[in-house]
Each structure stands twice: as C-alpha cells, then as structure tokens.
C-alpha cells in the first residue's frame, strides 16, 4: 500500500501495524482512488488484541516519531517530530501522526474497554455532517467541521512527516531516509 499511495498521501503510514498477526481479530475497510492530482479516500483497520499484545501496540504507537531532512546532503539539517496523544478531539483517546497536513489525517484510536485499536487514514475527506454516515462516524473527529480546511494552508497543519525549514518551503519524509545518519543540526 505504501508503494502505491504513500508518496501521494504525504505519509509513511507509521500508525498502521506491519501486519495483523498479533491480533485476535481484524476488520479492514478502504476506499482509495487515485485522481489526476491526488489520492482521495480512507482506510479503517481495526484490530482487537489480547492484554499483552494490546499494551505492546500502545507502547509502539506512543514512541512513533519521524525524522525529516532538509536536503539530500549527508550533513543536512534535520527535524524529529513525535506523535501527539489526544484525549479531546475524538470519541476515543488517539495517537495522531497527521492532522490535515496536505488534507491527510492519520491516527490510531484506542478503545481500552475492548482492547481494540482503530487505525485510520483519511485523504481529502469530504465529510459534511449529512455525509458522515458513509464512513465510520465513531472513528471521526467529534466536530466534523474540523475537517473543513478551506481557510488557510493545509501545509501548516500538523504532521510528523513534514517540516518547514524555511518560510514556505516544506521538506517531507522519504522512505529512503530510513536509517540515515543525523550529522547536521537538529531543528
């Protein structure tokens, strides 16, 4: 999936587990379509875990970070961004890696009562209050108007996958940067 949609979605899909093998049960629903300029749609991946695996997965989510480099040079400056833990915006506590940057939302909802984690990706969501029933409404923000990004630049929204090293110039995560030395200045 990352190979097909990752660069277009401005995400590394870090929220999503590598596989669902450690889960007791999984549910998957997606509708992604590539257009002329972008990919629109959603992914919902829900996994229910045993106690130990549930705690391990929460631990993994809590430690997600992303290093973005300013240039391809070996001594490039870099920025490390950590995931945000949010207990207010959603119906469940959430680990958020992208909140509207380039119109992409990526987060994991923690359903402690059922030892379930719902992994969510939304790209260019078209969620008016009357259309929210077409997707999993419980997995969306409480305030559906928060998805309306018509005012202002979406490049200034939060994402662990991007950083503005210079005014108006954004650098983004690249899979090729995995394991790269951080020898420049951290910003």
């Amino acid at each position: 999936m990352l190979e097909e949609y990752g660069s277009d979605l401005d995400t590394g899909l870090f929220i999503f587990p590598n596989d669902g093998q450690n889960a007791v049960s999984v549910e998957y629903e997606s509708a992604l379509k590539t257009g002329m300029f972008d990919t629109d749609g959603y992914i919902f991946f829900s996994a229910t875990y045993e106690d130990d695996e549930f705690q391990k997965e929460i631990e993994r989510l809590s430690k997600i970070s992303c290093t973005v480099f300013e240039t391809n040079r070996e001594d490039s400056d870099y920025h490390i961004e950590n995931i945000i833990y949010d207990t207010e915006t959603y119906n469940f506590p959430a680990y958020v890696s992208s909140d509207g940057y380039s119109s992409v939302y990526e987060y994991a909802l923690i359903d402690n009562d059922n030892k379930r984690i719902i992994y969510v990706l939304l790209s260019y969501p078209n969620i008016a209050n009357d259309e929210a029933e077409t997707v999993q409404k419980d997995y969306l923000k409480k305030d559906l108007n928060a998805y309306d990004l018509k005012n202002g630049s979406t490049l200034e929204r939060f994402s662990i996958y991007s950083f503005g090293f210079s005014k108006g110039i954004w650098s983004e995560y690249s899979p090729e940067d995995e394991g790269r030395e951080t020898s420049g200045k951290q910003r």
Side-chain angles (χ1 to χ4, degrees):
M1 183 168 29
L2 184 57
E3 296 82 21
E4 185 173 354
Y5 299 111
S7 63
D8 186 38
L9 293 172
D10 297 316
T11 178
L13 299 172
F14 289 3
I15 287 288
F16 291 85
N18 288 335
D19 58 46
Q21 290 182 354
N22 295 332
V24 174
S25 65
V26 297
E27 294 178 25
Y28 177 79
E29 179 183 348
S30 74
L32 291 174
K33 63 180 171 61
T34 302
M36 187 179 304
F37 301 108
D38 55 41
T39 297
D40 299 351
Y42 60 87
I43 299 171
F44 296 107
F45 180 80
S46 175
T48 303
Y49 298 94
E50 294 288 343
D51 287 338
D52 289 349
E53 293 300 326
F54 182 68
Q55 292 307 318
K56 285 179 189 175
E57 185 60 7
I58 289 175
E59 181 75 12
R60 181 191 72 83
L61 290 167
S62 72
K63 293 182 178 181
I64 291 175
S65 67
C66 184
T67 303
V68 176
F69 292 89
E70 184 175 23
T71 67
N72 291 333
R73 291 190 337 256
E74 189 174 307
D75 63 344
S76 174
D77 288 355
Y78 63 96
H79 176 78
I80 300 172
E81 189 68 62
N82 296 307
I83 197 160
I84 293 175
Y85 183 67
D86 180 343
T87 59
E88 302 294 322
T89 306
Y90 302 89
N91 293 313
F92 301 96
Y95 287 98
V96 180
S97 61
S98 188
D99 188 29
Y101 176 83
S102 195
S103 297
V104 172
Y105 300 82
E106 181 182 290
Y107 50 91
L109 302 171
I110 311 301
D111 179 358
N112 286 302
D113 294 341
N114 296 304
K115 294 180 185 58
R116 180 176 64 138
I117 301 175
I118 304 101
Y119 308 89
V120 177
L121 174 87
L122 303 172
S123 179
Y124 291 91
N126 185 12
I127 302 173
N129 285 325
D130 58 334
E131 295 173 356
E133 295 303 320
T134 62
V135 294
Q136 303 288 346
K137 188 173 183 176
D138 288 343
Y139 303 162
L140 302 177
K141 291 182 177 192
K142 292 176 188 174
D143 177 10
L144 297 179
N145 292 319
Y147 292 104
D148 181 6
L149 301 176
K150 291 183 176 102
N151 299 323
S153 171
T154 64
L155 297 179
E156 295 174 4
R157 300 296 299 254
F158 174 76
S159 173
I160 65 171
Y161 305 111
S162 67
F163 184 74
F165 287 94
S166 305
K167 184 161 178 68
I169 300 174
W170 296 86
S171 294
E172 295 181 351
Y173 161 80
S174 173
E176 291 81 35
D177 290 334
E178 289 296 322
R180 184 173 164 186
E181 288 292 319
T182 53
S183 58
K185 178 181 168 190
Q186 183 175 356
R187 300 219 227 151

